[in-house]
Amino acid sequence: MRIGNVELKNRVFLAPMAGVTDMPFRVLCKEQGCGLVYTEMVSAKGMHYLDEKSARLTLLDEKEKPGAVQIFGSEPEIMAEVTEKLNASDASIIDINMGCPAPKITKNGEGSALMKRPEQVGKIVSAVVGAANKPVTVKIRKGWDECSVNAVEIARIAEACGASAVTVHGRTREQYYSGKADWDIIRQVKRAVSIPVIGNGDVTGPAEAKRLLEETGCDAIMVGRGAQGNPWIFKQINRYLEEGVFTAQPTAGEKIDTIIRHMNMLIEHKGERTGILEMRSHIAWYIKGMRDASVTKQKIFKMNDKDEIISLLQDFLLHQ
């Protein structure tokens, strides 16, 4: 799998997810065979105004390369300026977010709101491609709503303006993450452009991944919520695509060991207070479906001490 001049080991990628795909989680997914990781989306305006938090989000660990940094914004000049800064970063690919449905993003004309302004899409992609010394990709949705399904049009504009690949999430902005993803729109985009198309939406396991590839003809798969609490999904999908074999689910012990390691990585990366606060959600995803998960989750969401959480998890493991 190749995007521009970047060679990737496979075609199973981790979607950028705000508050989820930070460096520790990306490293865990990479270890499980993820072909390409993306940072959480980074505000171009934040970087323009030298916001330290925005700048930190662009950092990539040596273990997760090659990786992509995703930026969002609506002003071509600022997007180009930030791209020039990112030319010196460890990112191998620069991705433009045109799919985020969050109101705080769309009310500023950013994220998926850009799909309502095809002309502006062209200006932004052209500006970023013109400033970049690495491949530029674009992540879009099916459209703003069912009355304005224009993924094919936006993908063609992105290609014409120099994008090296496009990711299509098969939901409209109005759907957010509800309902079923429309894979047919991914197939339509694949037929309409010659650059690689990455399919995104409703990939929760190996069988769905294979079906998405077969039904749409897309070049790669992007896994989002299916990876939450489940970095093993990348190994499972890759093995199924390569060998037709279903890999066993991780044992309860493997899950608890990974949770503890993940928490230690987060604490090292962000400090104990922030690391534990953010780890609570990850733990809930990891243990979902296990015996006594609901009660354990409620207890963990009241805890602020690492050792206390580890003790509870070890006790939780004994009852599995």
Side-chain angles (χ1 to χ4, degrees):
M1 176 70 195
R2 179 183 285 271
I3 294 178
N5 61 355
V6 179
E7 192 75 40
L8 304 167
K9 287 185 177 179
N10 61 61
R11 50 183 177 165
V12 188
F13 304 164
L14 173 66
M17 292 179 281
V20 180
T21 57
D22 52 23
M23 188 186 291
F25 184 64
R26 297 195 306 263
V27 168
L28 290 173
C29 291
K30 198 76 174 185
E31 288 176 353
Q32 292 295 328
C34 179
L36 179 65
V37 295
Y38 292 71
T39 66
E40 300 169 77
M41 63 179 190
V42 182
S43 168
K45 198 168 281 185
M47 288 191 68
H48 170 72
Y49 288 112
L50 306 179
D51 175 59
E52 285 186 25
K53 185 179 178 184
S54 297
R56 279 199 304 273
L57 288 175
T58 69
L59 300 177
L60 288 159
D61 189 273
E62 193 67 34
K63 298 173 187 172
E64 53 182 319
K65 296 177 186 176
V69 60
Q70 187 187 70
I71 57 175
F72 73 93
S74 60
E75 298 163 84
E77 302 81 9
I78 290 179
M79 295 287 276
E81 174 200 313
V82 167
T83 298
E84 288 177 0
K85 292 180 181 178
L86 291 172
N87 282 335
S89 75
D90 288 326
S92 300
I93 292 168
I94 296 172
D95 187 64
I96 305 172
N97 183 309
M98 296 190 181
C100 179
K104 68 178 181 180
I105 303 297
T106 59
K107 73 179 182 182
N108 295 322
E110 301 167 336
S112 55
L114 285 167
M115 296 195 70
K116 296 193 287 185
R117 302 166 66 197
E119 188 177 331
Q120 192 70 2
V121 168
K123 290 177 181 177
I124 290 169
V125 177
S126 293
V128 173
V129 170
N133 64 8
K134 50 190 75 179
V136 173
T137 59
V138 183
K139 189 169 191 288
I140 65 175
R141 282 187 168 237
K142 179 180 178 180
W144 178 259
D145 56 29
E146 289 296 335
C147 297
S148 56
V149 174
N150 63 343
V152 169
E153 177 191 6
I154 299 296
R156 282 177 169 155
I157 290 170
E159 179 180 37
C161 294
S164 294
V166 61
T167 300
V168 184
H169 183 161
R171 288 183 173 86
T172 64
R173 185 270 177 177
E174 291 301 292
Q175 280 183 275
Y176 283 76
Y177 300 99
S178 66
K180 189 178 180 184
D182 177 9
W183 288 358
D184 187 59
I185 193 68
I186 300 171
R187 181 181 61 83
Q188 291 177 40
V189 171
K190 175 59 187 169
R191 290 183 174 182
V193 299
S194 58
I195 55 176
V197 173
I198 304 155
N200 178 217
D202 292 349
V203 176
T204 56
E208 292 84 1
K210 186 177 182 184
R211 194 161 58 82
L212 175 58
L213 286 168
E214 291 174 345
E215 290 185 12
T216 68
C218 64
D219 303 278
I221 307 154
M222 184 174 278
V223 183
R225 288 172 296 163
Q228 292 178 346
N230 186 22
W232 303 276
I233 194 171
F234 297 99
K235 179 187 285 185
Q236 293 165 348
I237 291 175
N238 280 318
R239 190 173 182 204
Y240 186 66
L241 293 179
E242 292 164 11
E243 304 173 32
V245 175
F246 284 106
T247 305
Q249 293 294 327
T251 65
E254 287 173 326
K255 283 191 175 186
I256 300 305
D257 286 346
T258 300
I259 289 171
I260 294 170
R261 182 176 169 225
H262 189 167
M263 179 166 60
N264 286 330
M265 291 166 71
L266 255 180
I267 289 171
E268 184 180 349
H269 187 55
K270 298 184 178 182
E272 183 152 355
R273 184 175 181 279
T274 301
I276 287 175
L277 283 173
E278 294 188 6
M279 192 62 204
R280 291 170 175 176
S281 295
H282 286 283
I283 294 173
W285 292 322
Y286 275 112
I287 68 174
K288 185 178 179 181
M290 298 173 73
R291 186 182 301 162
D292 299 329
S294 180
V295 174
T296 302
K297 182 178 78 170
Q298 289 173 17
K299 290 178 180 177
I300 283 172
F301 269 79
K302 295 175 183 175
M303 293 180 174
N304 296 298
D305 181 78
K306 182 183 83 166
D307 293 333
E308 190 180 12
I309 292 173
I310 290 173
S311 178
L312 178 64
L313 289 171
Q314 288 171 339
D315 185 58
F316 172 74
L317 177 59
L318 292 175
H319 292 86
Q320 298 306 308

